[in-house]
Every structure is written in structure tokens, then in C-alpha cells.
Amino acid sequence: MPEQILDEAGLAGFLDAFYARVRRDALLGPVFAAAIPDPDWPRHMAAIRDFWSSVLFRTGRYKGNPFGRHAALGVLTPDHFARWLGLFEESAAERFDPATAAVLVERAHRIGDSLKAGLFFRPGAPPAREVP
């Protein structure tokens, strides 16, 4: 198992490999393909790297609105989040030592829980449909 250091370069390599995997995934790939045309991927990945750098290293580089971006898609379900987190956990375990992977996974779950709460928790609304 290659063990990368969790610094800016290690984070960038992890995110590039992880999102390549996401784009190939049968459930997640079509969502990303519909939202981000191929020519826009470098810009998207730069924003993703800025986001995670801000989350992990407190660099303050990310200035976007992740909730608004995800809400605007209008197609996400809890199953999408579960699959994304599963792939994230697998990718982190493959690339980093267990303690470092645990830090990444814990942050990803916190972010995912926050997004899911905003997207799917609406008292009185019907439950979100699941993707078959």
C-alpha cells in the first residue's frame, strides 16, 4: 500500500485519483457527466482541491457554496451520498495510512451529513426516493 503524506501534493493526488474513480462509477458517473462537461473538469478539480485544502489545512482558498452547487443539481438522493462516501473511504484507505485515512473519512462524513441534512431533511415532506 503506497502511503502518501497528507500535504497539499498528497491531497491533490488523492483527489485526482478519487474523482477519476467517481467518474467511472455506474451511479455517480452519470450525475457528474451531466453537471460537468469534460472541458470543465480541470476548473472543477481546482475548486475541489481548494475546498479540501480549506477543510483540512484551513487555507481559506475555497470561496464557493457547496450546498448551493449540490442543491442545484436536483437529482441527488441519499444513495448518491452513500456511494460517494464508500468510494472515498476505499480510496483513502488505499492511499494513506489508517490514521490519516480516518481523518479524511471523518471530515467527509461530517460534510456529507451536513449536505444531506440540508438537502433531504424537510419536516413534513415526503421521504427522498431511492435510486434502484
Side-chain angles (χ1 to χ4, degrees):
M1 167 177 92
E3 294 187 6
Q4 299 290 316
I5 296 172
L6 185 55
D7 58 8
E8 290 286 349
L11 177 63
F14 164 72
L15 292 171
D16 288 345
F18 168 66
Y19 276 97
R21 185 180 230 175
V22 165
R23 292 179 76 186
R24 292 187 305 268
D25 184 74
L27 178 62
L28 299 175
V31 174
F32 279 88
I36 306 163
D38 284 342
D40 291 346
W41 266 95
R43 187 169 43 99
H44 179 69
M45 287 308 302
I48 292 294
R49 285 190 291 274
D50 286 349
F51 174 81
W52 279 99
S53 177
S54 293
V55 166
L56 294 171
F57 307 129
R58 303 192 191 285
T59 60
R61 290 195 329 237
Y62 183 74
K63 305 296 184 203
N65 176 359
F67 178 78
R69 295 280 187 178
H70 289 83
L73 295 173
V75 298
L76 297 178
T77 68
D79 288 342
H80 290 106
F81 282 89
R83 182 67 181 147
W84 189 94
L85 285 166
L87 291 176
F88 192 93
E89 289 173 10
E90 291 171 16
S91 298
E94 290 169 0
R95 196 169 252 327
F96 296 105
D97 66 84
T100 301
V103 169
L104 284 165
V105 167
E106 183 272 332
R107 296 282 172 89
H109 275 275
R110 260 202 266 163
I111 292 162
D113 288 346
S114 177
L115 286 171
K116 287 187 296 187
L119 292 171
F120 307 125
F121 181 70
R122 294 187 179 91
R129 76 175 173 82
E130 298 202 6
V131 174

